[in-house]
Amino acid sequence: MSCRRVCICTAFSLVYIILIVYVNFRSFSIDFFEEDIASLRTTHSHQASINAIIWTYDGTGLMKYIQWILTRKLGNIRITQFDDHFCIRKQDSFTFNSTNQSLIQIYIVSLTADLKNQSRCKQAVDRIIRDNKTHIYFKRKSVAATVVFHELDSRKPSSTLNISLIEAKIRKTADINKYISKHFINKASIRWKIIDSEELVHADLVQCEASLLDFISLFKFNIADSLLASIIEYDSHRFIKDAVWWDRSDVAERVLNMSIPPRSSNLTYEDDFYYLHGRRSFIEYLVDNRQCFTRGTFAQLQSETRPNRMSTDNIDRCSLNEFDCAFSDIYSFEDREKLYVQANYESIKCAFTIPSIFDIVRKRYARNHTCETIVFTSIIRCYDPLPRLEGKSPSSFCYVAIVDAQTYKALKYHTPHYTTARWDLVNVGEKAALFASPAKTVETLKTLGQRMFPLAKWIVWMDGKAHLINIADILRKSGVSILSARHSERDRTSAIEVRYTIERIRDREGSVSLRFNQTVSDIKRQEAEYQRDGFYSRSDAMNLRMYDIAMFMYRNNHPCNFRYLCGWHNEINYFAYRGQLSVYYAAVRMNITDHFGIIPRSHYHTYAHLGICRAI
């Protein structure tokens, strides 16, 4: 065969292949496009089942409310995200009530949408708007904040922002806002409810609850008013101004304009988050907390706790320590692990999952907004005196001691008044030591200040052997949101601490008691898991040296701190109750050890434990 004939045959073959590919690709494109249109039509094929239609963008702040609705299973929701051509990029449905088919439909418009595009997808979207007489338009007053938060949520954390890119997206988003207003919102035939994210943010708890109730009422959920009111009351502190700092428009605008305000020379709680980012930049700390909220910060309700659960790891573990398991609803390794592999829109296990005597504290302080710094302790069976305090006490400070009846009597009637005058002694009765070990009560409550004092700004834990000097000065100068005292032995690590902890327990309880053997068994089980998990090696690589957790301070209302404390609590509940063994575990697992710092040595002392009931 001649070279010319070979070339002609090859050319015809190439043309044939190109035609086949073109026809198949066009057929695929048409099929995919038609499927998109069909999806949009299906979305509205049953108009009566849709309670509300919400139009929004990424970065408007709507999703923190949707996350709450989904976590508490208040109603069914479908979320549809559009690409730049108004075709469906992603669609998720969340159905919790099979008997009630009504739902909220959320449409998320791309911040770079092509408004001049007249594709069939765009036409279908136009019809959806025209055919439904009522819509909700959720946005921010600040277009800049919308774009900044969208950028922070859609890329890897970085200490800088691409300002020119953001400014271009701001202009594009502003054009989209104008287009929607001109072509849809201003149409007399369509009724729009416009909600600006900033209008839902309130510093006052009562105003916040009223705002949440008004917002939720737009969705016409089939839920009893009393149940909805109780859920709002339980969760409303999560939406006050101090608690949503990580999603506030003014914060995003300051980040964009690089205009972080100077720090006050006095202790102030207003916007102190700008200075508590530790070894990370503020932008990185902001991203951390946005991600922590997304991963879950709504604690399990008591009504969500399933009764009569059994341990699946060790049958004896929960039968011998029934209250220990029930208090946090942790009956298995999987229960403990859920915090780290959390499925979307599930509440997290963080104690108080059953009624208990400790609810007294929560009820007393759940709505207290005057105690902006809570200093608290717990003393059971007269194990310690009240902690020692030195220095001025600002009016925003409150002091709470959670004690059993025996300790209450010793402090109330056999201790000089000047040592107890500032303390609110909360008597939780004769049965305060409900846990398998009385010491576990103290170790457990140590990690749960954020649950007992939800409106506090700073929470300070003190053992009875602790002595703090000028707490206000420590908080005023802190550059991190979590602080504790440095261990007296500088080379002490989490792995080394195991041996010393066992020795201390042996000295106190003896080596032949049933309680000692059970505690050591729990410690060894924990040690084995931490070795398998690689926690000790990672801690050593990070050069993490032990804290003296007789003093522990943290800024409340920071999502990562909340998750960390829940994780630490769950370690104490599931493994050994000695908190120093697991103080770093959740932080290493969550990669937030950069949020931790040290209390200056000049601001504290520690003493030996000293019982106070000997004279009674």
Side-chain angles (χ1 to χ4, degrees):
M1 183 181 293
S2 69
C3 180
R4 182 179 178 184
R5 287 183 177 177
V6 169
C7 290
I8 292 172
C9 289
T10 302
F12 274 116
S13 297
L14 285 173
V15 170
Y16 176 77
I17 292 169
I18 290 170
L19 285 171
I20 292 296
V21 169
Y22 172 75
V23 169
N24 287 337
F25 177 77
R26 186 172 182 274
S27 174
F28 169 79
S29 299
I30 291 173
D31 289 344
F32 186 77
F33 181 78
E34 293 294 341
E35 183 179 330
D36 231 12
I37 299 297
S39 246
L40 281 170
R41 287 172 180 164
T42 302
T43 295
H44 284 272
S45 60
H46 304 288
Q47 301 292 346
S49 66
I50 297 178
N51 284 354
I53 302 172
I54 306 176
W55 299 84
T56 191
Y57 316 100
D58 285 324
T60 60
L62 171 66
M63 292 312 295
K64 63 179 176 288
Y65 301 105
I66 298 304
Q67 181 170 344
W68 173 56
I69 291 169
L70 291 175
T71 301
R72 294 303 183 216
K73 299 177 175 51
L74 299 180
N76 305 323
I77 292 180
R78 183 166 55 211
I79 303 173
T80 304
Q81 292 180 291
F82 294 130
D83 63 15
D84 288 353
H85 304 290
F86 288 91
C87 291
I88 295 176
R89 181 170 65 85
K90 183 181 179 183
Q91 183 162 278
D92 296 301
S93 295
F94 304 91
T95 304
F96 304 111
N97 189 339
S98 58
T99 60
N100 180 11
Q101 294 300 315
S102 62
L103 57 82
I104 304 171
Q105 172 66 58
I106 300 173
Y107 291 117
I108 301 177
V109 178
S110 169
L111 291 176
T112 54
D114 181 4
L115 299 175
K116 296 180 180 178
N117 163 52
Q118 288 303 318
S119 68
R120 291 177 64 187
C121 284
K122 173 65 164 49
Q123 293 171 18
V125 169
D126 290 347
R127 283 196 300 274
I128 289 171
I129 295 176
R130 287 195 303 269
D131 293 346
N132 293 270
K133 302 305 179 184
T134 304
H135 299 265
I136 298 169
Y137 184 32
F138 193 100
K139 64 181 183 64
R140 291 186 191 267
K141 292 178 182 177
S142 171
V143 175
T146 303
V147 176
V148 168
F149 284 133
H150 171 69
E151 286 298 297
L152 291 177
D153 293 340
S154 60
R155 62 186 183 83
K156 292 182 179 180
S158 172
S159 58
T160 59
L161 289 171
N162 187 330
I163 303 300
S164 59
L165 175 64
I166 287 177
E167 288 176 344
K169 285 191 174 182
I170 289 172
R171 292 190 293 271
K172 179 69 173 177
T173 305
D175 289 341
I176 295 173
N177 269 333
K178 291 176 183 176
Y179 178 89
I180 291 177
S181 296
K182 178 180 178 181
H183 291 273
F184 299 112
I185 294 177
N186 293 333
K187 298 289 186 182
S189 59
I190 304 173
R191 184 159 56 89
W192 287 84
K193 171 70 175 177
I194 301 175
I195 300 175
D196 290 314
S197 183
E198 295 87 345
E199 294 176 353
L200 297 180
V201 178
H202 303 281
D204 179 74
L205 184 65
V206 175
Q207 285 184 301
C208 180
E209 289 173 339
S211 182
L212 282 173
L213 186 58
D214 288 345
F215 181 58
I216 288 293
S217 66
L218 296 173
F219 307 143
K220 304 171 185 174
F221 287 133
N222 183 24
I223 182 170
D225 291 343
S226 59
L227 176 59
L228 180 58
S230 66
I231 291 174
I232 288 177
E233 182 177 353
Y234 192 85
D235 291 327
S236 56
H237 65 278
R238 286 264 167 250
F239 299 102
I240 59 174
K241 182 180 178 182
D242 185 69
V244 295
W245 62 270
W246 48 269
D247 197 45
R248 279 169 29 197
S249 294
D250 60 303
V251 175
E253 289 172 346
R254 284 193 177 278
V255 168
L256 180 62
N257 299 327
M258 293 179 285
S259 59
I260 303 300
R263 191 167 195 173
S264 172
S265 58
N266 300 315
L267 174 62
T268 178
Y269 307 100
E270 184 74 19
D271 295 351
D272 62 347
F273 49 80
Y274 286 119
Y275 324 109
L276 301 177
H277 49 79
R279 293 188 295 273
R280 301 196 182 185
S281 70
F282 175 66
I283 290 178
E284 290 170 325
Y285 187 72
L286 178 62
V287 170
D288 283 348
N289 280 279
R290 291 182 67 78
Q291 291 176 346
C292 282
F293 184 88
T294 299
R295 288 166 185 157
T297 60
F298 294 105
Q300 181 173 315
L301 297 167
Q302 291 181 358
S303 60
E304 295 174 331
T305 304
R306 291 188 291 112
N308 303 319
R309 294 190 65 198
M310 300 291 290
S311 173
T312 58
D313 297 342
N314 182 334
I315 296 176
D316 292 336
R317 175 178 166 265
C318 291
S319 61
L320 295 174
N321 308 319
E322 184 177 349
F323 181 79
D324 298 43
C325 294
F327 184 66
S328 295
D329 195 35
I330 295 180
Y331 288 83
S332 66
F333 184 83
E334 287 72 23
D335 286 341
R336 169 259 193 187
E337 191 72 3
K338 273 187 175 182
L339 182 75
Y340 309 107
V341 292
Q342 193 73 26
N344 284 338
Y345 312 121
E346 285 189 11
S347 57
I348 65 175
K349 296 182 183 298
C350 195
F352 296 102
T353 56
I354 60 169
S356 74
I357 55 176
F358 304 115
D359 289 336
I360 295 172
V361 188
R362 297 178 63 230
K363 290 175 181 177
R364 184 176 298 190
Y365 283 92
R367 304 183 71 81
N368 185 310
H369 58 86
T370 59
C371 296
E372 295 184 285
T373 291
I374 289 280
V375 180
F376 83 110
T377 189
S378 180
I379 305 169
I380 305 297
R381 295 186 180 176
C382 300
Y383 190 69
D384 277 315
L386 289 169
R388 299 161 179 84
L389 297 158
E390 187 177 332
K392 292 183 178 180
S393 176
S395 60
S396 61
F397 278 44
C398 295
Y399 303 87
V400 182
I402 305 166
V403 298
D404 63 353
Q406 182 184 17
T407 308
Y408 179 83
K409 181 180 178 182
L411 292 173
K412 193 74 173 175
Y413 304 111
H414 300 274
T415 304
H417 177 70
Y418 67 85
T419 64
T420 61
R422 72 173 73 192
W423 291 90
D424 176 15
L425 302 178
V426 183
N427 183 356
V428 291
E430 298 286 351
K431 297 181 179 180
L434 292 171
F435 293 97
S437 168
K440 188 171 182 178
T441 299
V442 176
E443 294 289 306
T444 296
L445 295 179
K446 181 183 298 187
T447 65
L448 295 175
Q450 80 282 14
R451 298 296 322 277
M452 294 184 287
F453 314 108
L455 295 185
K457 305 299 195 304
W458 276 97
I459 297 175
V460 178
W461 163 266
M462 297 179 70
D463 277 359
K465 67 177 185 175
H467 179 167
L468 279 171
I469 303 166
N470 201 344
I471 296 175
D473 190 57
I474 299 171
L475 303 183
R476 179 180 64 84
K477 295 178 180 178
S478 178
V480 294
S481 61
I482 300 175
L483 303 99
S484 188
R486 193 189 300 274
H487 198 281
S488 58
E489 296 184 22
R490 296 292 185 93
D491 63 343
R492 189 72 66 87
T493 64
S494 295
I496 294 173
E497 181 63 27
V498 172
R499 174 166 57 90
Y500 287 101
T501 298
I502 293 175
E503 289 177 359
R504 284 196 302 273
I505 298 172
R506 179 183 288 112
D507 291 342
R508 191 173 67 228
E509 298 183 0
S511 59
V512 295
S513 70
L514 178 63
R515 180 181 297 169
F516 171 78
N517 292 332
Q518 181 61 54
T519 301
V520 171
S521 175
D522 290 339
I523 291 173
K524 289 297 185 180
R525 187 165 56 94
Q526 184 174 31
E527 181 183 39
E529 173 57 28
Y530 285 2
Q531 288 173 338
R532 185 203 65 77
D533 180 76
F535 164 64
Y536 293 138
S537 58
R538 293 199 303 275
S539 296
D540 291 345
M542 295 177 184
N543 197 32
L544 296 178
R545 295 297 179 259
M546 287 303 298
Y547 277 146
D548 181 347
I549 58 173
M551 293 148 281
F552 202 84
M553 310 175 178
Y554 47 93
R555 183 57 164 88
N556 198 23
N557 288 330
H558 286 216
C560 288
N561 292 357
F562 184 89
R563 286 180 58 80
Y564 157 73
L565 289 161
C566 291
W568 186 18
H569 163 76
N570 291 347
E571 294 301 294
I572 289 171
N573 183 277
Y574 183 72
F575 287 119
Y577 69 84
R578 306 304 301 182
Q580 68 269 25
L581 297 175
S582 53
V583 63
Y584 281 124
Y585 180 81
V588 170
R589 191 81 182 266
M590 293 166 57
N591 192 30
I592 60 166
T593 54
D594 284 345
H595 300 189
F596 285 56
I598 300 294
I599 300 171
R601 186 64 188 85
S602 59
H603 283 67
Y604 69 89
H605 304 293
T606 56
Y607 307 98
H609 292 289
L610 179 64
I612 60 172
C613 288
R614 294 171 184 171
I616 300 177

